[in-house]
Amino acid sequence: MQLLIMAAGMGSRFGGLKQIAPMGPNDEFIIDYSVYDALKTGFSKIVFIIKEENYDIFKNTIGARVESHIPVEYVFQKLDNVPDFVRIPEGREKPWGTAHAIYCAKDAITEDFVVINADDFYGRDAFQVAADFIKESKEKEWATVGYEAIRTMTENGAVKRGVLESTDDGNLIQITESSIIEDGNKISCTPLSGAEEFKIEKDALVSMNMLVFDKSLFKMLDEKIIEFFKDNEDNLEKCEFLIPDILDEANKTGYATVKVLHTKATWYGVTYKEDTDFVRNNIKRLVDEGEYPNNLWG
């Protein structure tokens, strides 16, 4: 099993490169805890997707700490890693999106793998749930790890979550990307598509972009990236090739079976700068409770 960590994005709301903001008692980053949890649950390789200009800072910080514990590879998400017919607009700086980031890593991934964001604290149980699924899954069986919505909230404003709908036996029906906020005994969800607002129970499952794939994903990405750029030839300044869209299409066309897994882990992350102390305090609590050592890498 391999872990693909998407770290090419800059945290615009947080300000700067939030992936390497110190959060642990010995200045560990959130990424450190993800790598540690991956090691504890049987993963054998880490692949970081980063911007090329951030290579040195990643290599000299997180890389220096973990490379003696697990094989690490770095992949660059580059604007020019696109089909030959694409003419990149002058002034385009924003990456092409999450599906493109994973596409850029196709030569580094050799086994079934889990995708996570670098700046999200997922919790040990989520990695265990994903690992257990991989051990039992067959080809073209993918999954999204679902968190109880209330376990993903911040006190500092609304957050964007993919609200999951599934069948009784756990097959994904759809993901509704929404802005959600606690509303009394329920959670109010405003779909980003502009559809009508709806409410969910606090324990309803949402996606935090912890996704499980096998290598069949890359065959689909090879095909869909060509379609994407052809369909968006008049919108190359702003368009994004996104993994939730790929997941949805694979599910609806039957290319893959997508399961919704359930973790009892609590997600922590810095959506807003005001969340920083809350995350640090909760990591300290987990250290005090013995979930993690005080000095993560000894």
Side-chain angles (χ1 to χ4, degrees), residues 4 19 36 39 55 62 87 120 137 139 161-162 168 170-171 173 186 210 213 221 248 253 259 263 278 280:
L4 185 59
Q19 293 93 335
Y36 187 86
L39 270 168
Y55 172 74
I62 179 67
R87 297 294 173 259
D120 290 340
S137 64
E139 185 180 9
R161 302 286 181 256
D168 290 341
N171 289 328
I173 296 174
K186 302 274 189 176
M210 187 178 204
F213 297 107
L221 290 179
D248 185 58
T253 61
K259 288 288 188 180
T263 180
F278 178 77
R280 285 179 177 150

Side-chain angles (χ1 to χ4, degrees), residues 162-182:
V163 180
L164 298 168
E165 184 181 352
S166 62
T167 62
D168 290 341
D169 57 355
N171 289 328
L172 179 68
I173 296 174
Q174 68 177 6
I175 304 175
T176 305
E177 297 294 333
S178 305
S179 174
I180 72 172
I181 194 164
E182 196 170 352

Side-chain angles (χ1 to χ4, degrees), residues 180-193:
I180 72 172
I181 194 164
E182 196 170 352
D183 183 10
N185 294 324
K186 302 274 189 176
I187 290 174
S188 291
C189 308
T190 304
L192 303 185
S193 65

